[in-house]
Amino acid sequence: MADLRSQLQELFGLEEFRPAQREVIEDVLAGKDVLCVMPTGAGKSLCYQLPAAVQKGLTIVVSPLISLMEDQVQQLRDEGIPCAFLNSALSASLRRQVMKELEQGFDGLLYVAPERFFSADFQELMPRLRVKLFAVDEAHCVSQWGHDFRPEYLRLGEVRQKLGGPPCIALTATATEDVREDIIHQLGLKEPTIVVTGFDRPNLRYASRRVPKAAEKGGELIELLRAEPGSCIVYCATRKAVDEVTSLLSASLRDRPIFAYHAGMDQAARTANQDRFMNTSRAIAVATNAFGMGINKPDVRLVVHYNLPGTLEAYYQEAGRAGRDTLPSRCVLLFSYQDRYTQEFFIDRIGQDNPGADPKVIETLQSHARQKLELVIRYAQTHRCRRQMILDYFGDTSDVSNCNCDVCRREEQLPDSDVASQVLSDDLITLVRQLLSAVARLNGKFGVGVVAEVLIGSQNEKMQRWGFDKLSVFGLLRAHSGKRVIAMLHRLMEAGLARQRDPDGVKFRPVVELTATGVAVMKGTQLPPASLADLVPRRSSSGSASVRISRETRVVPEESGPLDAEATDRFERLRSVRQDIARQKQLPAYCICLDATLRQIAATRPDSLSSLERVKGMGPYKVKMYGQALLDAMR
Ligand code: ADP
């Protein structure tokens, strides 16, 4: 089939196949059943159009969207490919004409709206048709778990039988495991080739920002939009939120054109706003999920979700409106836990518009919707690669490389110097290393919960069964609650010292493992980032944000008063050594030692590592790391 490519060029005027198109087409031409899962715009239509154009016979294409059907038929006719359609929009005389052509052995593509199969004349005709290929577009409509289930789709298996069981290609953009199984079952696909591809969007930088207080989201949003001069879309969960965000942005970003869009606005206003968004540069659209059908603005640089969407499919689709031109673009989810209640409210209302519906079915639909919501929440909170999580969700096995998502970039962004004039105390460094050691001890085989149980020394049967109670780290953080230890482990992941991963073959039950930086910090060859200075929450009585963990005092009386000339000279040399260390470790100088500590060293002139350890601010860790260099500096 070496000439498939030339047929692609001659018939469709396209240069190259996109990923997987060729494989799918070869299987279709070989008469196999195929399930093809690719995102919108990936080029699914070609997977049945090209076979239909190159092989003799009738290809029936089932498609639920009349407007798309007419567009496609027109395009194919323009390319000189024989093509017809049957739907409710067709006049009676045109319909008769199409039926007559079919009787006479029409050779080409016939697009059919699913309900048309059940008209009396078509039913009568079906057994006589010689169908070469049966293509079902938007195949997820056969599944009650899909987002737009259509009852007529349920009978397509029967239709296929009546047509003599021709080879079938089912195509969809949304198919999670359960939907996929439904498609195979309902359409009676036999050992189908399943191709899932095209979901990876390497130019998109996915990120999630946890905003604990919903009231703070406005500020976050404005900051994001100020930093992005290109076109932006802000998705909100409700019309009310759209109105509020629009007023907020109109007041704060006066130099930017801002357009609202939701289904509560009248059609003319909606269309006008959509057109203006399409044609204005630097524009910001604030919208509900009603916005976007048919929007193909290639240069949207940022899509922010102001509220949590209900499913990862919805998130992927909406966020995916960024960067259609393949240039780097951002997709940021502003996550606050309260948002789940809005989605739960929507889920509770499933079935309300349909009072006659079977309560069992409604219950199952709601339970599916809750599971899907849970996965979006996991996505928002994950410490594993977000791009990978999306691919796993859709079942796309492409390899992620050079990812720019916030989780993957964390390590690169270290060290973090944004905590002003904080020094990490030795106790805090020890705490971080204890947490990391426990992660390391469990070998990346367990989740955060188990690591925490080990650290607090949980007395349960599991700990004994697995022998965790024998580990050196067992009970090391007995003084803390499990909840607190879990929170601290999450902080370490946010700081890039550890990450989550779904082990092969197990989806969405992440284990935790160390990153390279985490290993270095655990071994003591690198300091933890300064952002962890408040890892242990402040004590309310101390009134200071600094870390206060019990520590024995080992203090030399503080030298007061100015340094003499020699001590000043030593102080300068110490500072210069500290500078070198800081540069080498890529840490702010204050993280190595405070000026006050260096001044003390200069004044008291310790001559050994052990005497250096008695200087306030120099704990065993710092002495081990920098002690020798500091002593050398004074010689
Ligand atoms: P889908 O059905 O997956 O949403 P379409 O089949 O409508 O996507 O294709 C989207 C666009 O991509 C169409 O404009 C189509 O012409 C174009 N396209 C498909 N395959 C190729 C290809 N191999 N090379 C270039 N353009 C392609």
Side-chain angles (χ1 to χ4, degrees):
M1 293 185 201
D3 61 348
L4 268 186
R5 192 170 151 228
S6 51
Q7 284 165 321
L8 175 76
Q9 292 167 343
E10 277 164 33
L11 291 164
F12 293 88
L14 299 172
E15 265 316 298
E16 291 288 349
F17 284 107
R18 285 193 181 149
Q21 278 178 332
R22 189 188 187 102
E23 291 87 307
V24 172
I25 290 170
E26 283 173 356
D27 275 1
V28 169
L29 287 172
K32 291 191 187 158
D33 286 347
V34 181
L35 170 57
C36 172
V37 187
M38 295 181 186
T40 306
K44 288 187 286 298
S45 322
L46 192 81
C47 298
Y48 55 83
Q49 288 172 343
L50 192 137
V54 303
Q55 68 186 353
K56 284 249 163 271
L58 174 64
T59 291
I60 291 188
V61 184
V62 187
S63 167
L65 300 167
I66 293 182
S67 56
L68 286 186
M69 187 186 284
E70 290 172 9
D71 281 355
Q72 289 216 350
V73 168
Q74 196 49 52
Q75 262 176 27
L76 288 168
R77 284 186 182 149
D78 291 347
E79 277 148 8
I81 297 169
C83 198
F85 67 88
L86 276 178
N87 63 31
S88 55
L90 211 60
S91 70
S93 66
L94 279 174
R95 223 170 86 79
R96 272 196 301 277
Q97 191 182 323
V98 173
M99 294 297 279
K100 196 162 148 215
E101 281 182 52
L102 287 171
E103 289 273 9
Q104 292 165 352
F106 174 74
D107 204 359
L109 287 111
L110 174 73
Y111 281 74
V112 185
E115 68 282 357
R116 287 288 111 198
F117 289 112
F118 307 104
S119 67
D121 52 353
F122 204 76
Q123 283 277 316
E124 192 271 315
L125 177 67
M126 270 200 281
R128 282 182 283 133
L129 292 175
R130 301 258 299 274
V131 180
K132 190 84 186 167
L133 174 65
F134 188 61
V136 181
D137 207 2
E138 311 289 347
H140 60 274
C141 297
V142 305
S143 171
Q144 312 212 36
W145 321 131
H147 51 88
D148 38 38
F149 166 61
R150 290 168 191 248
E152 320 85 66
Y153 260 70
L154 270 188
R155 297 182 60 192
L156 287 180
E158 185 192 315
V159 169
R160 188 178 168 210
Q161 287 314 315
K162 199 143 189 185
L163 291 168
C168 178
I169 175 171
L171 310 110
T172 176
T174 46
T176 40
E177 206 75 34
D178 44 4
V179 175
R180 210 174 294 163
E181 279 166 18
D182 271 359
I183 294 175
I184 294 173
H185 174 70
Q186 296 289 354
L187 295 177
L189 302 186
K190 281 185 252 24
E191 294 172 20
T193 309
I194 303 178
V195 178
V196 185
T197 195
F199 288 90
D200 194 15
R201 300 276 310 275
N203 62 317
L204 298 189
R205 295 176 167 191
Y206 297 106
S208 167
R209 287 197 189 179
R210 195 192 302 234
V211 191
K213 294 197 181 112
E216 288 164 6
K217 276 192 182 171
E220 286 276 342
L221 177 64
I222 290 170
E223 186 193 307
L224 282 166
L225 294 169
R226 280 219 174 100
E228 179 47 73
S231 293
C232 305
I233 305 178
V234 181
Y235 277 106
C236 302
T238 60
R239 296 170 190 183
K240 183 162 162 258
V242 168
D243 292 337
E244 284 168 6
V245 170
T246 308
S247 345
L248 172 77
L249 298 183
S250 308
S252 316
L253 302 170
R254 289 166 182 282
D255 58 331
R256 300 284 289 272
I258 293 161
F259 306 112
Y261 189 101
H262 60 66
M265 295 162 57
D266 69 59
Q267 186 60 45
R270 262 194 282 167
T271 313
N273 277 1
Q274 179 170 325
D275 289 349
R276 273 150 61 205
F277 175 70
M278 298 295 287
N279 300 315
T280 316
S281 58
R282 293 167 45 75
I284 300 171
V286 184
T288 59
N289 58 7
F291 182 72
M293 290 310 241
I295 294 273
N296 204 356
K297 190 166 168 52
D299 59 349
V300 174
R301 292 276 80 85
L302 168 69
V303 174
V304 181
H305 277 73
Y306 191 76
N307 305 113
L308 192 72
T311 63
L312 264 182
E313 279 99 332
Y315 182 69
Y316 177 79
Q317 181 136 42
E318 289 159 11
R321 301 208 162 97
R324 285 274 158 86
D325 55 7
T326 74
L327 295 178
S329 309
R330 297 180 72 195
C331 309
V332 184
L333 173 60
L334 295 181
F335 173 63
S336 57
Y337 207 74
Q338 298 96 300
D339 282 345
R340 76 174 296 150
Y341 305 123
T342 315
Q343 291 301 336
E344 280 172 354
F345 171 78
F346 293 144
I347 294 173
D348 290 340
R349 283 183 23 172
I350 290 177
Q352 277 192 359
D353 303 339
N354 188 1
D358 178 353
K360 274 226 173 80
V361 173
I362 301 291
E363 208 175 289
T364 319
L365 286 174
Q366 287 179 330
S367 127
H368 262 78
R370 285 201 187 92
Q371 282 169 19
K372 291 190 161 192
L373 175 61
E374 220 43 62
L375 284 175
V376 189
I377 294 172
R378 287 218 211 151
Y379 169 85
Q381 296 182 304
T382 193
H383 295 292
R384 58 183 292 241
C385 171
R386 290 186 213 280
R387 217 170 109 199
Q388 184 71 59
M389 183 167 173
I390 288 175
L391 292 187
D392 287 351
Y393 183 78
F394 286 103
D396 185 330
T397 53
S398 317
D399 281 333
V400 166
S401 57
N402 298 326
C403 182
N404 275 315
C405 81
D406 54 345
V407 178
C408 291
R409 283 168 55 102
R410 270 179 199 155
E411 263 201 277
E412 196 184 291
Q413 283 164 354
L414 291 175
D416 168 349
S417 57
D418 62 355
V419 181
S421 66
Q422 291 263 22
V423 199
L424 301 176
S425 70
D426 277 350
D427 305 280
L428 189 117
I429 294 168
T430 306
L431 174 67
V432 170
R433 294 178 61 196
Q434 288 171 328
L435 288 159
L436 294 174
S437 303
V439 173
R441 282 283 169 279
L442 296 188
N443 272 332
K445 292 208 176 74
F446 296 87
V448 200
V450 175
V451 177
E453 281 189 71
V454 168
L455 276 165
I456 63 166
S458 271
Q459 294 298 335
N460 61 34
E461 187 263 331
K462 186 169 58 185
M463 293 290 118
Q464 289 168 12
R465 181 159 32 102
W466 294 91
F468 291 160
D469 56 347
K470 309 279 178 328
L471 294 176
S472 56
V473 289
F474 186 76
L476 216 48
L477 301 184
R478 220 169 242 126
H480 297 264
S481 68
K483 219 167 149 191
R484 156 127 346 137
V485 173
I486 290 178
M488 292 196 284
L489 288 166
H490 278 273
R491 288 287 308 278
L492 298 195
M493 291 191 267
E494 275 161 23
L497 302 185
R499 68 177 156 238
Q500 285 177 315
R501 183 176 60 82
D502 280 333
D504 293 340
V506 181
K507 274 195 189 159
F508 312 119
R509 288 212 351 243
V511 296
V512 52
E513 63 184 15
L514 296 187
T515 60
T517 317
V519 173
V521 171
M522 181 183 73
K523 290 189 173 156
T525 54
Q526 189 173 327
L527 270 177
S531 66
L532 289 176
D534 61 349
L535 181 64
V536 176
R538 75 173 83 163
R539 289 267 163 81
S540 50
S541 59
S542 80
S544 109
S546 64
V547 179
R548 295 259 182 287
I549 315 173
S550 66
R551 55 183 300 174
E552 83 271 25
T553 36
R554 46 182 128 65
V555 178
V556 161
E558 202 155 330
E559 198 70 22
S560 56
L563 297 174
D564 62 26
E566 275 187 30
T568 306
D569 180 45
R570 283 194 292 275
F571 174 63
E572 290 308 331
R573 275 182 280 148
L574 286 167
R575 274 172 60 107
S576 133
V577 166
R578 176 184 64 178
Q579 200 54 44
D580 291 344
I581 299 172
R583 208 171 293 129
Q584 192 192 336
K585 302 258 174 216
Q586 297 191 318
L587 282 168
Y590 65 77
C591 284
I592 312 293
C593 281
L594 288 180
D595 271 3
T597 307
L598 293 186
R599 209 181 290 276
Q600 279 235 12
I601 299 174
T604 58
R605 279 188 90 171
D607 56 0
S608 65
L609 292 176
S610 57
S611 52
L612 190 60
E613 205 172 306
R614 288 199 296 275
V615 174
K616 187 176 177 184
M618 288 297 297
Y621 177 78
K622 285 190 179 164
V623 170
K624 179 176 163 223
M625 295 290 290
Y626 322 123
Q628 200 53 54
L630 296 174
L631 293 179
D632 290 349
M634 288 191 296
R635 292 217 175 96

